[in-house]
Amino acid sequence: MKTQPAQLPQLLKKSLAPVYLISGDEPLLVQECCDQVRAAARAAGFHDRMTYHADHQLDWNAVGEEFSALSLFAEKRRIEIHLPTGKLGDGRAVLERVLQNPPEDIILVLISARLDAAETRRKWYKELQNKGVHVPVWPVDGDKFAGWLQQRATARGLQLTRGALAMLAERLEGNLLAASQELDRLALFGGAKTIDEAAIEQAVQDSSRFNGFELVSELLAGRAAHARKMIGVLRQEGENPLGLLAVLTRDLNLTLELNAALARREAPAGFLKQRGVFQPQRARVIEQAARRLSRPQLHKALELCSSIDRATKGFDPGSPWHFLEDMATHLHRQI
């Protein structure tokens, strides 16, 4: 079955399904849905967890064997598989076998980028619809973003003036992960006081000289030298790579979609507005990248994003900052 994120908590209270698919290009909302499933699974005794990333190094046969293996001490397990491109590839046959007869002692959580129409017509997805739950996560519409911000601020005990809310909405331009982080900072900065424009300006002044948004723009623009300098500063300042990775992955996926839309002779301005990109500078960077970079380059960039994610979470011995420097080289302007 398919359900909306708002309906997931109530669904989890009723019963647990053997498999959940959380898909979408909004990292914050995807993460929150995954956390809800994880919490419900832990409460039901599924404490042991194994995590896989569906990159070119993943051995799907080993994943299939894990589903048929007996758990140590007969503990219930959670198996999480990250699908950064939204495609199963060699894993389709494995998932089809698993979904035909899901083990009772395992809950499978698939964490995916947005699925394309072709993937939803495949046998594995139809089996999932019959046996499990798909939670598609969609971006918050531009006209609803201010309301979303207000709701989040209230949940944190913040009171935003109308001017402060408008300033935040304009500055963050629908980036939910950045918005959540900004509200966390304001909660620390302002306590229980009302937040006005002056408080936001002060908080902005206290932030780092470089931020993830600026780095993503430099990477997409192919300005490798400046991007590497920014990477060094962010690394020294203790920036969490996952925050900027979410922004980078989102904009790379948008660039890839726009690249295909341009091939169909779609108007880039209308395409980007439909995707919630209203800031002129960001729209210009994405459009130029879509015209400059090839589809193989963009797919390789998304693979590098997967490597950054793995390294940040300790699943790869390399440094996430090293992979970001590789990204700067890979997206360098072709002259």
Side-chain angles (χ1 to χ4, degrees):
M1 65 175 294
K2 186 181 292 187
T3 191
Q4 299 301 314
Q7 299 167 336
L8 180 60
Q10 192 63 33
L11 199 63
L12 290 169
K13 288 180 180 179
K14 293 180 179 179
S15 62
L16 282 176
V19 57
Y20 291 87
L21 167 62
I22 316 293
S23 67
D25 296 329
E26 284 291 353
L28 175 68
L29 300 185
V30 168
Q31 182 66 36
E32 289 178 347
C33 288
C34 290
D35 287 343
Q36 291 172 25
V37 173
R38 290 169 181 143
R42 285 194 299 268
F46 292 83
H47 298 294
D48 192 18
R49 181 178 75 165
M50 298 192 68
T51 303
Y52 298 95
H53 288 257
D55 53 23
H56 62 279
Q57 297 177 337
L58 179 61
D59 182 356
W60 279 101
N61 289 327
V63 176
E65 291 171 1
E66 187 61 37
F67 279 94
S68 58
L70 292 175
S71 178
L72 187 63
F73 305 121
E75 288 187 357
K76 297 178 179 179
R77 294 171 291 163
R78 287 174 287 135
I79 295 181
E80 298 185 4
I81 303 177
H82 293 258
L83 307 173
T85 64
K87 297 182 182 297
L88 277 171
D90 295 338
R92 292 191 196 112
V94 173
L95 263 294
E96 286 171 8
R97 290 196 300 269
V98 170
L99 292 172
Q100 285 175 0
N101 188 23
E104 294 183 357
D105 63 342
I106 294 177
I107 285 182
L108 171 62
V109 183
L110 299 171
I111 305 166
S112 172
R114 182 171 52 183
L115 300 183
D116 61 24
E119 202 68 25
T120 61
R121 291 192 293 268
R122 298 189 185 278
K123 182 179 178 180
W124 76 268
Y125 180 78
K126 295 176 181 178
E127 287 286 351
L128 185 143
Q129 287 275 54
N130 292 330
K131 303 291 177 57
V133 177
H134 178 200
V135 187
V137 176
W138 300 102
V140 176
D141 292 338
D143 59 347
K144 297 179 181 177
F145 180 59
W148 184 90
L149 267 178
Q150 182 66 71
Q151 183 181 29
R152 290 275 170 146
T154 301
R156 287 167 169 78
L158 293 173
Q159 297 180 5
L160 299 176
T161 65
R162 181 176 299 179
L165 180 62
M167 181 181 292
L168 276 178
E170 180 179 2
R171 177 171 178 257
L172 297 168
E173 290 288 353
N175 189 298
L176 307 190
L177 182 62
S180 180
Q181 294 172 339
E182 192 73 13
L183 290 174
D184 286 340
R185 291 179 61 249
L186 288 170
L188 292 173
F189 179 79
K193 299 179 181 178
T194 298
I195 304 296
D196 57 14
E197 293 99 318
I200 292 177
E201 288 288 356
Q202 182 62 47
V204 171
Q205 291 173 9
D206 290 342
S207 63
S208 301
R209 288 175 294 163
F210 295 136
N211 60 51
F213 299 105
E214 294 170 342
L215 174 57
V216 170
S217 294
E218 293 300 286
L219 288 170
L220 288 178
R223 293 187 280 266
H226 192 217
R228 291 194 194 96
K229 178 181 177 182
M230 296 174 72
I231 289 168
V233 171
L234 290 170
R235 182 177 189 175
Q236 291 176 359
E237 293 180 347
E239 183 78 11
N240 185 348
L242 284 178
L244 63 91
L245 177 61
V247 179
L248 177 59
T249 303
R250 178 203 62 182
D251 281 2
L252 280 171
N253 276 306
L254 268 177
T255 303
L256 185 60
E257 290 181 25
L258 179 55
N259 180 282
L262 290 172
R264 298 190 300 267
R265 299 187 180 278
E266 291 187 30
F271 175 90
L272 290 171
K273 285 183 179 179
Q274 288 180 350
R275 298 306 191 277
V277 181
F278 302 106
Q279 188 178 31
Q281 181 180 358
R282 181 179 167 221
R284 183 168 58 254
V285 168
I286 292 175
E287 180 181 350
Q288 290 174 349
R291 295 183 185 279
R292 180 174 63 86
L293 299 169
S294 67
R295 293 186 67 79
Q297 281 180 289
L298 290 168
H299 282 298
K300 176 61 178 178
L302 288 170
E303 289 181 12
L304 280 172
C305 285
S306 179
S307 297
I308 296 167
D309 180 70
R310 288 172 57 83
T312 303
K313 296 175 180 177
F315 297 112
D316 192 293
S319 164
W321 301 105
H322 173 75
F323 286 118
L324 273 168
E325 291 175 347
D326 288 346
M327 181 75 75
T329 301
H330 178 68
L331 297 178
H332 181 55
R333 186 187 307 276
Q334 303 297 313
I335 300 177

